[in-house]
Amino acid sequence: MSVLDVDSINKYFYAKISDKTIHDARKIGVAKLIEANTTVEKLIIRNVPDSKKIDLIFEGLKNNTYLKDLDIKSFGDGRVPFPNCGVKHLSVNYASLSEIPRILSCTTLDTLTIRCLFNHYNNKPDKISEFGTFIQNFNIKRLCIYEFYDNFSSQICENIFMNEHIKSLEISSLFFRSRDFNTIAKILSQNTKLETLSIISVNSICYVNELMFLESLKSNKSIIDFKITEGCSSHVPKVNEILMRNLFLRWNFIRMILIDLVIAMFPLRIKDAPLPPYVLLEIFDWIYPDNPYSTHFKKINLIIDLYRSIKEKHLLRVIKK
């Protein structure tokens, strides 16, 4: 991956974003340079550009399909919403509750990382509620929020766990400070999409421990990876037992689909022979990409065993005739 790491929109940025001279690149402008970019896949801007440059970056991204990963310090005072573009991974160091729904309302990200979320100017309850509703319905696969400041409504934590799109969640333990955990545990137990959950302690202080999650995890059948970072008590054996159960249930489900696929495809012939096992594996992985429940080795062994079983039964029928 080609990475461009700059402090700001400076000479280095203009020199690296295109093959033009710095003088010519400045004439073309930030928006056009990003729009025409076909070399940089990840862009890191460590300091906050002024609002005009943030808007120009977002304008340029509208027609860019090459840049996949954007890491910025903040949204500044930009007015242009983040576009629906090729960027799939967005990282922001600082973001406020009020600007997230406004900036990200039209985007289709896979991963959103917010290193520090804060309540700008002590937003009123309606703004907190607006953020909660947005994050609950936000279509995203992976969400990471490492720190936040201010006492947000406990509803936000509940909204995050009620999201039916998130598969991987990393969240600060601060979200559980003075919260009604019984409500959160009930929502978590009913979540059927979340697969990976990490609770991150801040300054070695953790406001939740694994014991608090055990009951809700027992009722949850989707989570296959659960971690709490240092500063939290550990009940690893009990948690691992639940995770292994969920992993087994997921593999059983996938296994039945793979069996159906093998049986359906077995009659197809290439030079009077069934499709090779690795071809069926490719077909299956194309239908079910990013499948974390089993290894290639496990799936290919199942396909080979099924082939052997089908051939043996076919041979028995021939002998009986």
Side-chain angles (χ1 to χ4, degrees), residues 43-190:
L43 176 60
I44 302 171
I45 305 176
R46 297 191 176 275
N47 293 316
V48 185
D50 58 55
S51 59
K52 186 177 179 181
K53 285 196 171 68
I54 281 284
D55 288 346
L56 290 173
I57 290 168
F58 290 177
E59 285 288 350
L61 287 173
K62 288 180 180 179
N63 295 310
N64 181 295
T65 58
Y66 196 80
L67 192 72
K68 304 298 181 189
D69 198 327
L70 179 63
D71 190 332
I72 56 177
K73 187 169 184 178
S74 79
F75 295 119
D77 295 317
R79 294 288 178 264
V80 176
F82 192 86
N84 184 4
C85 58
V87 174
K88 294 301 176 186
H89 308 282
L90 174 64
S91 299
V92 187
N93 278 11
Y94 303 98
S96 74
L97 282 175
S98 59
E99 64 187 357
I100 293 291
R102 175 177 61 83
I103 296 289
L104 300 181
S105 59
C106 301
T107 188
T108 54
L109 296 168
D110 285 342
T111 302
L112 173 63
T113 299
I114 303 172
R115 296 185 181 92
C116 179
L117 182 66
F118 60 93
N119 190 2
H120 196 43
Y121 299 129
N122 293 317
N123 282 310
K124 295 178 180 179
D126 61 323
K127 289 293 183 182
I128 295 174
S129 177
E130 181 185 349
F131 174 82
T133 302
F134 172 80
I135 208 70
Q136 179 177 329
N137 297 297
F138 193 30
N139 190 350
I140 195 165
K141 293 179 182 177
R142 187 166 184 261
L143 176 65
C144 309
I145 304 177
Y146 295 130
E147 292 185 54
F148 75 83
Y149 293 103
D150 205 278
N151 270 328
F152 299 161
S153 165
S154 60
Q155 183 63 41
I156 289 179
C157 191
E158 295 168 22
N159 288 133
I160 292 172
F161 281 108
M162 290 170 70
N163 185 298
E164 296 183 352
H165 306 285
I166 298 172
K167 290 188 174 183
S168 177
L169 176 63
E170 291 184 44
I171 189 172
S172 168
S173 66
L174 292 171
F175 272 99
F176 301 95
R177 180 174 50 186
S178 303
R179 301 293 182 253
D180 178 7
F181 183 76
N182 289 331
T183 303
I184 296 170
K186 184 178 179 181
I187 295 169
L188 179 59
S189 68
Q190 296 171 348

Side-chain angles (χ1 to χ4, degrees), residues 168-172 196-200 225-229:
S168 177
L169 176 63
E170 291 184 44
I171 189 172
S172 168
T196 301
L197 174 61
S198 296
I199 310 296
I200 304 158
D225 190 8
F226 175 74
K227 295 175 184 174
I228 294 183
T229 58

